[in-house]
């Protein structure tokens, strides 16, 4: 029994370049080449030079990732329409949904294009990423051949990762709340808690995802 | 755990590595056969691209600080606040914690990012006092933190949509929010254009010299 999360150094690549390049793995951050050795579930293989995690397989990661992705889609769609914050001042009140927040810029003329960007960062891109993960991993989990263009779909999902900002938006809600706390009474709406759950899911999703294992499974 | 001597890079082995899926191919291969990503031993014109995005990021950051981020209208007064002005206003009300958070997120982090990216890019050309792994860590911090600067833009969006109470109080976004968002996006693109393998190439050459 090996302890969890103990980094396993990979053996360096053999000196003579054999024909079997598929057995090698290159660190994307520093270009060091290793002979790929699949660590056990829960273990990690890291680059000896720059400590980048190269392989980190988990048991049943595929099913878990699909479950998380489905939850993300449901939560984002629900949270987009329900109010996430409500304000009350001198008898007047207003509730705001994520869609309202994105559209706040649309009314303001010169900054209208920000509306589209905000909507993309907190709604469209997270949902698109979740759908791509379902599309790519669905056939893999069911032991079917990969879906058409699965490689391109997974690459797109990975490239979109830094642009998916739902979790940053949640922290933004908390700051906005403190900023106007002495101006008005503010309540969290149901969508705020949905988005908070979403933050946890996004973190879980990135923790479970072993890119190397996904690429291996798409190779067949 | 150091594997001394035997560690070699894909380039030294006459191979080209795919930065998207970690597969290696013979040097000169055009596209990765596994994921379809374009293959480059080192991203072409990587540093020029870093500097170009860096420059527009810095330029956008100037109006982001000169124009108002938010304009607030209440029954008694109407005011427009820039990033720094708004933080000072909040600090004057005794809310030092929040003022500090705003100044960190909107001033210290963006300026730190500009500095860090410039240091990394200059380090490739002219060498650096920091070791390769230190610079790699710095790069990862910049990549991780870059997205979080967007929080300010989201706060403006939330306030502007929420505080719509007719004559009692209303908030609307100022032009600085657009410039600030652009600055964050350009800086993220600048960091993404940086090929971190260059850090390690320079380190190897330095050791040999
Ligand atoms: Zn490495
Ligand atoms: Zn590839």
């Amino acid at each position: 029994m090996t302890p969890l999360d103990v980094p396993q150094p990979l053996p360096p690549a053999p000196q003579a370049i054999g024909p079997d390049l598929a057995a090698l793995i290159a660190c994307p951050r520093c270009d060091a080449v290793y002979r790929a050795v699949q660590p056990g579930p829960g273990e990690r293989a890291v680059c000896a030079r720059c400590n980048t995690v190269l392989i980190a397989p988990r048991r049943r990661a595929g099913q878990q990732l699909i479950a998380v992705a489905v939850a993300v889609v449901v939560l984002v769609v629900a949270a987009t329409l329900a109010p996430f914050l409500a304000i009350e001042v001198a008898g007047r009140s207003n509730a705001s949904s994520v869609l309202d927040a994105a559209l706040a810029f649309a009314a303001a003329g010169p900054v209208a294009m920000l509306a589209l960007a905000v909507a993309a960062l907190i709604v469209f891109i997270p949902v698109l990423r979740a759908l791509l993960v379902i599309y790519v991993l669905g056939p893999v989990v069911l032991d079917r051949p990969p879906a058409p263009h699965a490689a391109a779909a997974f690459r797109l999902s990975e490239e979109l990762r830094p642009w998916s900002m739902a979790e940053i938006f949640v922290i933004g809600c908390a700051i906005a709340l403190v900023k106007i706390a002495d101006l008005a009474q503010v309540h969290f709406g149901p969508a705020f808690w949905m988005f908070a759950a979403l933050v946890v899911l996004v973190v879980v999703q990135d923790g479970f995802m072993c890119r190397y294992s996904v690429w291996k499974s798409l190779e067949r | 755990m150091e594997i001394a001597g035997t560690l070699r890079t894909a380039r030294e082995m006459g191979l080209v590595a795919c930065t998207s899926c970690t597969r290696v191919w013979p040097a000169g291969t055009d596209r990765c056969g596994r994921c379809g990503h374009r293959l480059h031993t080192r991203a072409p014109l990587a540093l020029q691209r870093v500097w170009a995005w860096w420059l527009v990021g810095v330029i956008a950051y100037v109006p982001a600080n000169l124009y108002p981020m938010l304009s607030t209208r209440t029954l008694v007064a109407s005011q427009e606040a820039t990033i720094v002005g708004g933080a000072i206003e909040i600090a004057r009300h005794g809310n030092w914690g929040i003022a500090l958070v705003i100044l960190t997120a909107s001033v210290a982090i963006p300026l730190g990012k500009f500095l860090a990216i410039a240091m990394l890019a200059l380090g490739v050309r002219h060498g650096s006092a920091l070791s390769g792994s230190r610079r790699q860590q710095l790069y990862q911090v910049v990549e991780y933190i870059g997205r979080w600067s967007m929080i300010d833009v989201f706060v403006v969006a939330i306030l502007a949509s929420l505080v719509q109470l007719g004559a009692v109080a209303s908030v609307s976004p100022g032009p600085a929010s657009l410039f600030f968002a652009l600055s964050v996006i350009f800086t993220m693109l600048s960091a993404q254009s940086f090929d971190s393998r260059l850090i390690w190439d320079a380190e190897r050459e330095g050791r040999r010299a």
Side-chain angles (χ1 to χ4, degrees):
Chain A
M1 197 71 166
T2 34
L4 290 182
D5 268 5
V6 173
Q8 307 284 317
L10 290 169
Q15 290 292 319
I17 304 165
D20 196 14
L21 294 180
L24 302 180
I25 179 171
C27 174
R29 298 238 178 225
C30 77
D31 214 28
V33 179
Y34 302 93
R35 197 146 37 80
V37 176
Q38 189 77 12
E43 291 176 344
R44 295 177 302 159
V46 301
C47 174
R49 182 154 73 156
C50 74
N51 282 322
T52 299
V53 177
L54 297 175
I55 316 176
R58 273 173 191 278
R59 242 186 269 279
R60 295 163 49 79
Q63 283 98 317
Q64 283 161 344
L65 282 170
I66 289 178
V68 169
V70 171
V72 166
V73 174
V74 172
L75 277 180
V76 171
V77 172
T80 302
L81 304 171
F84 67 93
L85 283 177
I87 184 175
E88 209 176 309
V89 121
R92 299 196 59 129
S93 67
N94 184 28
S96 176
S97 71
V98 174
L99 211 58
D100 295 329
L103 294 177
F105 289 115
V111 283
M113 62 179 273
L114 255 187
L116 212 65
V118 168
L121 296 173
I122 59 185
V123 179
F124 301 137
I125 292 178
V127 169
L128 177 61
R129 277 201 69 210
L131 293 176
L132 287 171
V133 165
I134 296 171
Y135 179 77
V136 171
L137 293 182
V140 171
V141 166
L142 297 173
D143 264 328
R144 299 248 175 86
H149 305 294
F154 187 59
R155 202 152 52 83
L156 177 63
S157 146
E158 284 299 295
E159 272 163 21
L160 288 176
R161 190 144 50 105
W163 303 101
S164 167
M165 299 191 179
E167 76 273 23
I168 299 175
F169 182 76
V170 175
I171 310 296
C173 286
I175 292 189
L177 191 82
V178 179
K179 263 186 144 175
I180 47 172
D182 49 347
L183 184 82
Q185 260 203 305
V186 189
H187 313 280
F188 288 121
F192 177 82
W193 302 110
M194 291 187 218
F195 256 95
L198 190 69
V199 175
V200 178
L201 288 182
V202 168
V203 173
V204 168
Q205 192 176 27
D206 282 339
F208 276 141
M209 178 77 82
C210 171
R211 277 128 211 129
Y212 180 78
S213 307
V214 175
W215 285 121
K216 268 279 171 214
S217 65
L218 291 182
E219 226 170 17
R220 294 176 303 163
Chain B
M1 242 176 271
E2 189 69 36
I3 305 170
T6 49
L7 196 80
R8 285 179 308 157
T9 66
R11 184 160 73 170
E12 286 163 353
M13 293 174 70
L15 301 171
V16 56
C18 174
T19 49
S20 165
C21 74
T22 68
R23 182 88 155 77
V24 289
W25 301 94
T29 310
D30 209 35
R31 264 179 201 282
C32 175
R34 176 154 73 179
C35 73
H37 194 248
R38 265 200 169 287
L39 297 177
H40 300 290
T41 304
R42 296 295 175 267
L45 301 176
L47 285 181
Q48 281 91 327
R49 219 175 299 172
V50 170
W51 283 118
W53 287 124
W54 183 88
L55 192 67
V56 283
V58 171
I59 291 173
Y61 189 67
V62 176
N65 276 281
L66 296 180
Y67 286 111
M69 194 80 169
L70 270 181
S71 56
T72 314
R73 210 168 38 72
T74 58
L75 278 178
V76 284
S78 118
Q79 60 168 13
E80 298 198 314
T82 58
I83 294 172
V84 176
I88 292 173
E89 190 60 33
I90 288 171
R92 229 184 252 152
H93 282 91
N95 244 328
W96 285 97
I98 299 294
L100 210 65
V101 168
I102 294 170
L103 284 177
T104 309
S106 328
V107 180
I109 290 181
L111 291 181
K113 269 188 311 187
F114 292 140
L115 261 175
I117 295 174
M119 251 177 67
L120 288 168
L122 287 174
V124 168
R125 272 284 149 77
H126 307 287
S128 166
L130 294 173
S131 71
S133 33
R134 276 265 166 277
R135 279 185 281 160
Q136 175 83 43
Q137 281 168 1
L138 181 65
Y139 178 59
Q140 263 156 279
V141 168
V142 168
E143 259 197 327
Y144 178 79
I145 260 181
R147 318 159 57 232
W148 283 91
S149 300
M150 214 57 183
I151 204 166
D152 241 44
V153 178
F154 292 155
V155 169
V156 170
I158 294 163
L159 289 179
S161 70
L162 191 60
V163 189
Q164 292 299 339
L165 302 165
V168 180
S170 76
V171 166
S172 52
S177 53
L178 174 65
F179 289 112
F180 192 85
L182 287 176
S183 177
V184 173
I185 289 170
F186 292 150
T187 317
M188 279 175 74
L189 290 170
S190 171
Q192 284 176 13
S193 311
F194 185 74
D195 189 339
S196 66
R197 296 177 294 187
L198 294 172
I199 295 176
W200 299 93
D201 292 344
E203 173 137 309
R204 284 221 155 178
E205 274 151 33
R207 210 179 287 157
R208 246 176 243 137

